[in-house]
Amino acid sequence: MQETPEGVAEGRPRAAVVRDALGVGVAVGLSGFAFGVTAAGAGISTLQACVLSLLVFTGASQFALVGALAAGGNPFTAAAGAFFLGTRNAFYGLRLSQLLKLPRPVRPLAAHWVIDETTAVALAQPDRKSARLGFTVTGFTLYALWNLTTLLGALGAEAIGDTRAWGLDAAGPAVFLALLAPMLKTSTERAVAALALVLGLGFLPVLPAGVPVLIAALAAPVVLWMKGRRP
């Protein structure tokens, strides 16, 4: 690997970065179908579902919001759960701002693309140039496909009628779990996921829809606290 004049190793070939970024963008972007179907099943109009994907653009929060609404939850509680799930993107942004060092005029636009997938691709690169390319290609591909498939999923769900009769109301949670499972690589991450599952399911029968999601979010600090107490 060659050295740049600043003594920093040159990054990966552009083709390799673009290939990996496109792979992530396409794979995750297609799951917008599931969100569109889930939103339609929750009684959300096609226009509302598309606006959510355009303006919110973070799958976990979107699925949490429509899931809580579908269960009859209070809209404010559902929005609160979605908001707290989305706060992790702010921490991603702190790291990416140091790594990418984008020009000031484009930062507000780039901030909209700060999600799990773009962060993972950017952080996997060996230098700033490759990180910027990976972030941009992943963000553009994922944003375009996510919004297109949200529209198609919502229109398709409206065309077939009752999504529950087809079992499509389970599509959103199934896709969300499929995306989450490969990310649980350490024992701490698996412990957080397991505790969140127990808390969420345990409080589901006794608390209003949307609130169990907030309770489940306590799993992370609890596990980290218990880990810190170990000798």
Side-chain angles (χ1 to χ4, degrees):
M1 188 176 290
Q2 298 178 346
E3 299 288 323
T4 64
E6 293 152 353
V8 179
E10 287 187 353
R12 300 168 61 203
R14 287 174 58 88
V17 178
V18 171
R19 180 196 63 217
D20 292 347
L22 285 174
V24 172
V26 171
V28 180
L30 292 176
S31 63
F33 277 115
F35 174 71
V37 170
T38 304
I44 294 175
S45 70
T46 297
L47 177 60
Q48 290 171 328
C50 291
V51 169
L52 275 173
S53 285
L54 284 168
L55 301 183
V56 178
F57 187 52
T58 173
S61 296
Q62 291 179 233
F63 277 120
L65 176 64
V66 299
L69 292 176
N74 182 289
F76 294 103
T77 304
F83 172 79
F84 282 112
L85 280 175
T87 55
R88 71 193 186 283
N89 294 337
F91 296 99
Y92 295 161
L94 293 175
R95 177 67 183 91
L96 288 178
S97 65
Q98 299 174 351
L99 173 64
L100 302 178
K101 292 190 179 299
L102 295 171
R104 190 175 299 274
V106 304
R107 290 178 188 175
L109 296 175
H112 194 49
W113 287 356
V114 175
I115 55 175
D116 297 331
E117 293 78 15
T118 54
T119 301
V121 172
L123 293 180
Q125 307 309 319
D127 71 302
R128 179 169 296 137
K129 183 178 180 180
S130 298
R132 285 181 173 180
L133 178 61
F135 176 87
T136 303
V137 174
T138 305
F140 177 81
T141 305
L142 183 48
Y143 189 72
L145 276 179
W146 179 265
N147 282 281
L148 175 61
T149 55
T150 292
L151 173 61
L152 296 178
L155 290 175
E158 287 187 354
I160 65 175
D162 185 5
T163 56
R164 295 186 179 185
W166 296 81
L168 296 178
D169 54 313
V175 170
F176 182 71
L177 290 175
L179 294 175
L180 175 65
M183 301 180 185
L184 306 178
K185 298 179 179 179
T186 68
S187 59
T188 300
E189 292 169 348
R190 288 190 288 269
V192 170
L195 181 57
L197 179 64
V198 171
L199 291 174
L201 293 179
F203 285 100
L204 187 62
V206 297
L207 292 177
V211 177
V213 174
L214 302 179
I215 301 297
L218 297 175
V222 168
V223 169
L224 292 176
W225 177 76
M226 293 178 64
K227 186 178 179 180
R229 286 176 57 87
R230 292 178 181 176

